[in-house]
Amino acid sequence: MPYQAEISRTNPSCFLFLIDQSGSMEDPFAGGESSRRKADLLADAVNRLLQNLVIKCAKEEGIRDYFYVGVIGYGEKVGPALSGQLAGRELAPISDIGNLPARIEERKKKVEDGAGGIVEQTIRFPIWFDPLCHGATPMAQAFTLAHDVLARWLPQHADSFPPIVINITDGEATDGDPSTAADALRSLATSDGNVLLFNVHLSAKGAKPIEFPDNPALLPDQHARLMFDLSSLLTPTMRTVAQQEGYAVSENSRGFVFNADMISVIKFLDIGTRPSNLR
Amino acid sequence: MSITVRVMALPKAGNRNDEYEDACWPDRALTTTQPVVHCAIADGATESAFAGLWARQLVAAYGAAGALGAEDWLPALTLEQARWQSQVAAKVLPWYAEEKARSGAFAALLGVTIEQEMQAKVRPWQAASVGDCALFQVRRGVLLRCFPATTSAFFTNRPLLLSSLPEQNAALAAYKCHAVGELWPGDVLYLTTDALGQWFLNRVEHGAAPWMEMEAALARRKRGFTRWIAALRNNGQLRNDDVTLLRIAWPEQ
């Protein structure tokens, strides 16, 4: 059975984020926060994904290196996109990500007080990635660079849970059809299965969020349908956890979300007991 | 004869001893003549911080008085939650540990209380459980009781667990299980954390007598038990997780 490998410090997996930094990301987002640019929401989404991944691996004594993590931006340039001390690194252990954010901001968060009320807490919000939107959308080049980065990582991790690539974009590639490059990326594999390519499509159109669809006919336009086609199927374990989390998924559900985030995918990964009442 | 308790505790393969997040009470072998014997086992969840601390607190609280097993257990639980929070709040933590601690620690807990009147012919026990620790009772070579799990399918990586934060425990009352039984001379109770409990029931489902295999491994002391667990992990029979076993016996004359 594929996608069963234990994720551990001796057998880590990998997350690679591909971030659309093209000029079209300057447009406003339609998913409920229309005053904000897609680029700002994308930066928030990436920082939240990294934050959630670090917290998943965090224990009181530090961060356990269950994952290597990289961020590739594509717009005017295609290349590593982390800021601060991690600038220029293709992949870094998750402990480096957690310990070396570019800066830490303070933000307000509303939480339950345990007595039926809501209180506002000040939390530390680490920033690794700043908004940038300039140039075209060379998505095929980004897939090709991701392929090259993972092809270098895989020989040392031949039995790992396969790397997960999460591409966040408005879905309009300008360097031709990215399907061939995406196929090549998904064809890379460990002994446990092929690389998983998941896509997050942020649209300026006023369409409601769609998460892990199984039918492209229900998607609002051809860009979304293309991103669906490029996306890997959810693994059986991911489907099981998704169902436990309340998502309506089937055997044909893909790792694709439209005008939504993909933080849930981090919950879908098994690194040990996760209480069902942990919120 | 008095009740005897043996303890085996091993961290997940690849983890250090100080990363072991199960806990048990007592934490070492003993023979006791106490009129009431409290034993407990707990399993701190990997995806929470300070889970080992929480698990150790829970078994110590159960072991001291058994109050966490009582019907009216909330005052005892509230006291432990406050203690956990004050211990964690006293630490200076990096942003990720602070954020993780904000979600609380989680652990499964199973406790058993045995009344030991030395002249009595049977010794009644009562058990309470939240989460996926397991109790098995064996009498004269036959599996008599499984609690709360009765099949290996009971064990998933997403159990509902006891949290160190009250707000994470809203549905808990519905998930706390109770059981009662009797120890006869020669009976053995095994308390295990989830990986070993799952293995045990899986073996039972395949017609085996896993308690015999455990007894054979226990007879080889800590080193032999450790080798046995390593072999089960290596051949895929046992999920790689912390392993804890309490063997509680009332030896025959």
Side-chain angles (χ1 to χ4, degrees):
Chain A
M1 281 278 286
Y3 304 110
Q4 297 285 315
E6 181 187 37
I7 300 173
S8 66
R9 283 168 288 185
T10 50
N11 200 34
S13 189
C14 180
F15 265 95
L16 187 54
F17 299 96
L18 310 183
I19 310 301
D20 185 342
Q21 296 177 308
S22 63
S24 63
M25 298 303 283
E26 185 87 40
D27 298 342
F29 176 64
E33 296 182 61
S34 57
S35 63
R36 298 192 70 194
R37 298 179 308 164
K38 284 187 281 186
D40 297 326
L41 286 160
L42 180 143
D44 263 7
V46 174
N47 287 317
R48 281 210 183 90
L49 279 162
L50 292 171
Q51 182 190 35
N52 275 268
L53 204 51
V54 169
I55 289 169
K56 185 179 184 81
C57 303
K59 297 295 283 183
E60 53 270 32
E61 78 281 2
I63 301 165
R64 296 183 180 178
D65 282 326
Y66 295 126
F67 299 101
Y68 283 79
V69 179
V71 179
I72 291 173
Y74 58 99
E76 191 173 28
K77 297 177 186 170
V78 180
L82 289 167
S83 306
Q85 292 184 61
L86 296 168
R89 287 179 65 178
E90 284 182 344
L91 290 173
I94 188 73
S95 58
D96 282 1
I97 300 285
N99 287 313
L100 299 171
R103 62 185 184 279
I104 296 182
E105 296 179 351
E106 288 199 340
R107 296 197 179 181
K108 302 289 184 191
K109 181 181 178 183
K110 287 180 177 154
V111 296
E112 293 177 22
D113 64 2
I118 299 286
V119 294
E120 197 170 70
Q121 283 180 343
T122 301
I123 60 161
R124 288 185 278 175
F125 190 85
I127 304 289
W128 294 270
F129 180 82
D130 287 305
L132 187 64
C133 37
H134 192 60
T137 310
M139 194 187 301
Q141 284 184 58
F143 287 153
T144 300
L145 178 57
H147 175 281
D148 294 347
V149 168
L150 293 180
R152 286 190 283 276
W153 183 85
L154 284 166
Q156 281 80 48
H157 304 89
D159 297 320
S160 290
F161 187 92
I164 299 173
V165 180
I166 296 182
N167 176 40
I168 309 179
T169 177
D170 63 5
E172 300 171 38
T174 56
D175 60 347
D177 186 345
S179 301
T180 304
D183 289 347
L185 178 57
R186 287 196 314 269
S187 72
L188 293 172
T190 70
S191 62
D192 192 47
N194 285 79
V195 166
L196 295 164
L197 173 58
F198 293 168
N199 287 284
V200 178
H201 188 169
L202 300 176
S203 174
K205 291 184 179 172
K208 65 180 182 182
I210 299 170
E211 294 169 297
F212 311 115
D214 59 3
N215 182 359
L218 302 175
L219 297 172
D221 60 33
Q222 79 275 16
H223 298 302
R225 285 189 284 277
L226 173 62
M227 299 316 296
F228 174 92
D229 289 341
L230 300 184
S231 302
S232 304
L233 289 168
L234 293 178
T235 70
T237 303
M238 289 177 175
R239 285 203 308 272
T240 301
V241 179
Q243 284 165 344
Q244 289 167 349
E245 290 281 328
Y247 293 96
V249 293
S250 74
E251 286 191 355
N252 297 317
S253 288
R254 301 215 183 187
F256 172 74
V257 299
F258 180 86
N259 282 354
D261 70 50
M262 207 170 261
I263 286 173
S264 50
V265 165
I266 293 172
K267 288 186 191 173
F268 297 168
L269 293 172
D270 179 10
I271 59 166
T273 303
R274 179 182 172 84
S276 60
N277 46 330
L278 170 59
R279 291 288 172 235
Chain B
M1 293 285 284
S2 305
I3 284 174
T4 66
V5 182
R6 285 191 64 189
V7 178
M8 288 291 171
L10 295 172
K12 178 176 177 169
N15 281 13
R16 301 187 307 263
N17 286 339
D18 64 350
E19 293 173 336
Y20 166 82
E21 293 183 307
D22 286 356
C24 60
W25 188 279
D27 62 0
R28 63 200 66 186
L30 58 78
T31 299
T32 178
T33 56
Q34 292 288 319
V36 181
V37 182
H38 301 296
C39 297
I41 195 162
D43 180 354
T46 312
E47 278 212 37
S48 64
F50 300 101
L53 170 69
W54 180 231
R56 290 190 296 276
Q57 256 187 259
L58 290 172
V59 297
Y62 189 96
L68 283 175
E71 291 285 343
D72 181 20
W73 66 319
L74 282 178
L77 180 62
T78 303
L79 187 65
E80 294 308 319
Q81 288 170 328
R83 284 185 57 214
W84 181 90
Q85 288 168 47
S86 67
Q87 289 190 71
V88 173
K91 299 175 190 293
V92 177
L93 299 172
W95 71 267
Y96 45 82
E98 184 181 276
E99 190 62 26
K100 191 105 174 188
R102 209 189 296 279
S103 300
F106 292 79
L109 173 70
L110 191 153
V112 62
T113 298
I114 304 163
E115 293 170 36
Q116 181 171 226
E117 189 185 328
M118 299 308 284
Q119 303 310 315
K121 291 186 176 170
V122 299
R123 295 185 180 173
W125 60 259
Q126 51 189 301
S129 173
V130 176
D132 55 0
C133 292
L135 176 153
F136 305 107
Q137 181 173 8
V138 173
R139 176 175 297 160
R140 294 186 183 130
V142 175
L143 180 61
L144 189 70
R145 190 73 181 270
C146 308
F147 169 77
T150 53
T151 69
S152 60
F154 176 87
F155 299 94
T156 72
N157 255 5
R158 300 176 63 78
L160 192 137
L161 300 176
L162 264 178
S163 175
S164 59
L165 300 183
E167 57 269 31
Q168 301 271 25
N169 278 340
L172 208 56
Y175 288 87
K176 189 177 179 216
C177 307
H178 294 267
V180 295
E182 287 179 342
L183 274 187
W184 290 11
D187 282 6
V188 181
L189 294 178
Y190 300 98
L191 271 51
T192 77
T193 44
D194 60 335
L196 195 59
Q198 184 177 28
W199 168 84
F200 188 104
L201 284 171
N202 191 44
R203 295 289 290 151
V204 169
E205 288 158 8
H206 285 83
W211 56 93
M212 301 293 287
E213 296 171 59
M214 288 202 306
E215 289 294 336
L218 284 163
R220 299 196 296 270
R221 310 179 76 84
K222 177 77 181 263
R223 186 174 293 181
F225 187 84
T226 303
R227 283 203 197 106
W228 176 66
I229 290 293
L232 290 181
R233 285 172 177 159
N234 289 338
N235 66 24
Q237 286 191 61
L238 183 72
R239 192 158 42 83
N240 188 19
D241 197 356
D242 292 340
V243 166
T244 305
L245 169 65
L246 276 188
R247 179 189 187 276
I248 306 163
W250 182 11
E252 289 185 277
Q253 291 284 342

